[in-house]
Amino acid sequence: MDLTNKRIAVYVTGGIAVYKVANLVRGLIKAGAEVQVAMTQAATEFVTPLTFATLTRKPVLTDLFNQDQPDHVAHIHLADWSNLAVIAPATANLIGKLANGIADDFVSTALLATIAPKLIVPAMNEHMWFNPATQRNLTQLKADGYTVMEPDNGFLAEGYTGVGRFPETTAIMAEVVQQFGPQRLSGQNVVVTAGGTQEPIDPVRYIGNRSSGKMGYAVAQAAVTMGAKVILISTRPELPVPAGLHKIIYVETAAQLQGTVSSVFEGADVVVMAAAVADFKPDQYVTHKIKKKPHPTDMQLTLNQTPDILAMLGQQKTHQFLIGFAAETEDLLQNAQTKLTAKKVDLLVANDVSQADRGFGADQNAVTLLRPTAAPETLALADKSVIATQILERVANLLA
Ligand SMILES: Cc1cc2nc3c(=O)[nH]c(=O)nc-3n(C[C@H](O)[C@H](O)[C@H](O)COP(=O)(O)O)c2cc1C
């Protein structure tokens, strides 16, 4: 996700979700945006301006009549400076004011004065949300050209479940990116596999690997952000589901992964095999828990090779762009090059999983990209979300 050179005004109004906006502001800054925060008086009751001033390294604007900078009128300056206005959380009150052109504080006045695209992220009690006045005001704002995000359904601050929750930061970030124009993978069907497979020995034991699924999830999220229709096939139901997915399918074993990826392969344009598929599985599944034997009896477990899913897809592909991952602990490039050729993949992402700060389980990765007809390209150590975007940028270039 790249928001370099984007100037975003974040207008914070007085709802309980204000504390979540600190995370959003961090995310926008991390993605390269320049952010200026303005708050309503009510918003400052929930979180002090100091939090946002520290994150943005700029004073937070709250007072319409503050004369600190006599060379310009602050609300008009912010209105003209920003190329996107994000109102988060947007209270029912502010939604009502905007729908009726009321400008009686810094936030509402700057918003009336800005011609930048406006993204509204409402959050409120379910009954406030469904109140006919709120719904009428939202209809008006949509007609006026505002983009309104739907609040999530979930556990509310009131202690019960309902509609009105502030959406996840990743979903808002994806919406922000969309506001800045055409996306490079729009119209592409992308299938991503993520996590390590588990091959059961008996009802309580399995053979697994250390793949956390984080890289695959980052690729899925980046593909959504770039406009793709994404199916994620995952072995990790405990991870938060990336926002904006077309579908998520959970699997456990290599055989299930093979069946699922085969069923969606035909309709895919890009297939990213980030899952770490077990190479071996127990010859037999024992339907009851295997009992310990008296010491010192050893136990033998016979393993069979699992099908090579990547090679199978390489054989079957017609129009699909196939991306494989090679996790190696030695002779990284040599092994990856062999895999690239043998399995007929279009792009191989090779990563060294012998180092603790990258690869399996870590939040960061450093990889080398191998292509059949180009020199290897190294992507320096960075967050997996950054690496994911860099990989998909290359894919978008090759598809274009
Ligand atoms: C504890 C508390 C939580 C509130 N949470 C919300 C909320 O989530 N959404 C909302 O629309 N209003 C909420 N309100 C009501 C607003 O704060 C109130 O309508 C206020 O006038 C909004 O002012 P503003 O729109 O200028 O920020 C809450 C009020 C209190 C006291």
Side-chain angles (χ1 to χ4, degrees):
M1 185 171 302
D2 184 14
L3 293 171
T4 313
N5 298 327
K6 304 290 188 278
R7 294 190 303 266
I8 302 177
V10 176
Y11 296 92
V12 186
T13 68
I16 190 68
V18 172
Y19 73 97
K20 296 183 178 173
V21 180
N23 211 17
L24 172 66
V25 166
R26 274 197 74 216
L28 296 172
I29 292 171
K30 225 170 147 191
E34 201 182 334
V35 178
Q36 171 68 59
V37 172
M39 298 173 84
T40 61
Q41 213 52 52
T44 66
E45 295 284 339
F46 292 85
V47 170
T48 66
L50 180 64
T51 300
F52 294 106
T54 309
L55 290 173
T56 59
R57 297 192 189 146
K58 290 192 193 89
V60 169
L61 303 166
T62 53
D63 184 356
L64 189 58
F65 299 105
N66 187 326
Q67 291 300 318
D68 270 0
Q69 290 183 296
D71 57 325
H72 65 246
V73 179
H75 67 278
I76 300 293
H77 185 258
L78 179 63
D80 291 343
W81 168 87
S82 53
N83 34 47
L84 177 69
V86 179
I87 304 119
T91 53
N93 178 54
L94 185 87
I95 288 167
K97 289 205 294 189
L98 287 183
N100 290 283
I102 294 172
D104 64 354
D105 63 2
F106 187 95
V107 165
S108 53
T109 310
L111 280 166
L112 200 64
T114 190
I115 55 166
K118 290 173 268 294
L119 173 64
I120 300 212
V121 192
M124 65 194 70
N125 168 275
E126 182 177 47
H127 305 306
M128 287 174 90
W129 172 254
F130 285 118
N131 188 298
T134 308
Q135 290 299 317
R136 205 165 48 236
N137 292 330
L138 288 164
T139 305
Q140 182 61 53
L141 289 182
K142 287 180 197 165
D144 292 345
Y146 286 70
T147 304
V148 179
M149 280 188 82
E150 288 293 308
D152 281 354
N153 190 349
F155 189 72
L156 302 173
E158 290 79 357
Y160 53 85
T161 298
V163 175
R165 258 173 76 89
F166 191 67
E168 293 299 327
T169 302
T170 47
I172 304 172
M173 297 280 293
E175 196 60 57
V176 164
V177 171
Q178 288 212 354
Q179 296 292 313
F180 287 109
Q183 296 165 286
R184 301 206 60 208
L185 288 179
S186 92
Q188 302 287 344
N189 293 307
V190 175
V191 173
V192 183
T193 67
T197 63
Q198 297 181 354
E199 309 303 324
I201 300 169
D202 67 18
V204 296
R205 305 181 180 96
Y206 63 85
I207 296 178
N209 61 63
R210 294 186 192 281
S211 169
S212 65
K214 286 180 185 171
M215 191 65 228
Y217 272 61
V219 171
Q221 186 66 73
V224 169
T225 303
M226 290 169 74
K229 189 170 163 188
V230 180
I231 297 177
L232 176 60
I233 303 170
S234 164
T235 68
R236 292 283 176 182
E238 72 280 13
L239 290 182
V241 178
L245 286 184
H246 174 60
K247 205 194 257 182
I248 184 158
I249 305 169
Y250 293 109
V251 296
E252 267 181 33
T253 63
Q256 288 169 356
L257 187 87
Q258 179 184 19
T260 309
V261 81
S262 298
S263 70
V264 293
F265 190 59
E266 178 58 33
D269 301 302
V270 179
V271 178
V272 187
M273 288 291 293
V277 184
D279 294 318
F280 313 100
K281 71 177 188 46
D283 180 44
Q284 278 187 350
Y285 172 69
V286 180
T287 54
H288 58 270
K289 184 181 171 193
I290 301 167
K291 289 271 174 260
K292 261 183 167 175
K293 304 238 167 60
H295 270 292
T297 321
D298 285 339
M299 175 171 168
Q300 300 277 343
L301 193 62
T302 307
L303 300 178
N304 293 333
Q305 293 238 24
T306 54
D308 188 333
I309 303 175
L310 188 60
M312 178 196 83
L313 298 178
Q315 289 294 334
Q316 286 177 0
K317 74 177 180 186
T318 48
H319 61 285
Q320 294 89 348
F321 189 94
L322 184 60
I323 303 175
F325 276 68
E328 303 285 351
T329 52
E330 56 203 357
D331 300 329
L332 176 72
L333 282 187
Q334 202 179 324
N335 287 334
Q337 191 66 49
T338 310
K339 198 166 174 177
L340 175 79
T341 319
K343 303 193 181 186
K344 295 194 164 61
V345 300
D346 300 294
L347 178 69
L348 194 84
V349 183
N351 63 336
D352 180 350
V353 290
S354 66
Q355 299 181 51
D357 64 345
R358 60 196 69 180
F360 281 170
D363 289 328
Q364 295 200 315
N365 213 349
V367 301
T368 304
L369 304 183
L370 299 166
R371 299 209 49 237
T373 52
E377 181 189 5
T378 300
L379 303 180
L381 188 67
D383 275 5
K384 284 183 172 170
S385 60
V386 174
I387 297 284
T389 305
Q390 289 174 330
I391 293 169
L392 292 179
E393 287 290 348
R394 308 297 185 276
V395 175
N397 290 343
L398 292 164
L399 292 176

